[in-house]
Amino acid sequence: MTTHHFSTKDRILSAAEALFARQGFAATSLRQVTSRADVNIAAVNYHFGSKENLVNEVFRRRMDQMSEERLAALKVACCERPGELEPVLAAFVEPALAMAQDRHGGADFVRVIARAYAESNEGLRKFLSDRYGHVLREFAKAIAGCVEGLGKEDLYWRLDFLAGALVYAMSDFGLIKRPSGTSESSHRQRAAAALIRFASAGFKANN
């Protein structure tokens, strides 16, 4: 019975993720989600209770794991290479790029993140801030320890810019396409290294 519940829940989340990616949150109805997931509305109500909770769970399904991976990598970076900025930035960048390459909906989720930036959804923003704000604060603290004299306002502006550049890199929408004959993981590593170098220079600018 438990396995059935989990598979139904996962099917609903995957359907919602794909529809949110294509249409946005406001334009996607629960009826469209149930039709795509091949479940009835009672299953959505049972697992999620509301459309708002369904939206939140689409994020939580992927971002909980990504946040854990980021914080674990940050801990290693601070222990093994204290005071070095690039390992801290790698801990932030690499788990996100790996998640974007996930063959099971990673590309859809990147578009969902872009929707979150584009659509004014205060409930979602509050959920993300409440649940994942501590992750950004941990990274801000670690970066501040690596860049002497960087004020708090500048620090958070630059962290915001890094987050935006990271979403763009995750979308693989830019000028640098994966060359034929290059594996996804190799392309991802090159993208991560380039973004980390760029961000490192940005955090250190005029300091």
Side-chain angles (χ1 to χ4, degrees):
M1 181 65 79
T2 304
T3 304
H4 172 70
H5 278 173
F6 273 117
S7 63
T8 301
K9 183 176 181 179
D10 208 53
R11 213 159 68 238
I12 295 167
L13 286 168
S14 294
E17 184 177 73
L19 287 165
F20 292 153
R22 185 185 308 159
Q23 301 175 177
F25 307 112
T28 298
S29 69
L30 287 181
R31 189 171 296 281
Q32 289 174 315
V33 173
T34 58
S35 174
R36 187 181 177 100
D38 195 24
V39 299
N40 58 35
I41 195 73
V44 177
N45 290 331
Y46 172 76
H47 287 292
F48 305 103
S50 69
K51 181 179 172 182
E52 183 180 5
N53 283 340
L54 174 59
V55 171
N56 293 348
E57 284 295 307
V58 165
F59 278 86
R60 198 177 70 79
R61 177 169 72 150
R62 296 192 188 275
M63 288 191 65
D64 277 9
Q65 180 182 348
M66 184 178 75
S67 295
E68 285 176 19
E69 290 172 0
R70 278 174 158 172
L71 290 173
L74 178 62
K75 188 175 181 180
V76 171
C78 291
C79 288
E80 294 186 356
R81 297 171 67 181
E84 291 187 39
L85 180 58
E86 290 202 357
V88 170
L89 298 178
F92 187 77
V93 167
E94 289 171 357
L97 287 176
M99 185 266 291
Q101 297 267 318
D102 184 342
R103 293 182 181 278
H104 302 290
D108 277 344
F109 187 65
V110 173
R111 288 194 289 275
V112 171
I113 294 173
R115 292 281 186 184
Y117 275 94
E119 291 190 27
S120 181
N121 186 327
E122 290 306 315
L124 175 59
R125 289 186 184 189
K126 184 177 187 311
F127 169 78
L128 294 174
S129 175
D130 289 349
R131 190 166 185 90
Y132 305 109
H134 70 285
V135 179
L136 284 178
R137 287 191 291 274
E138 287 296 319
F139 275 92
K141 189 163 64 176
I143 291 166
C146 298
V147 185
E148 194 174 330
L150 182 61
K152 188 172 182 180
E153 185 178 357
D154 278 340
L155 169 61
Y156 276 95
W157 271 117
R158 294 174 197 195
L159 196 48
D160 248 4
F161 296 151
L162 171 57
L166 179 55
V167 172
Y168 191 77
M170 288 163 72
S171 71
D172 198 25
F173 189 67
L175 298 174
I176 308 297
K177 298 298 181 190
R178 177 163 64 93
S180 58
T182 303
S183 70
E184 284 185 4
S185 64
S186 174
H187 183 60
R188 185 178 76 228
Q189 287 166 4
R190 290 180 66 190
L195 180 54
I196 290 161
R197 284 195 305 273
F198 178 78
S200 178
F203 277 108
K204 292 173 180 175
N206 298 321
N207 279 296

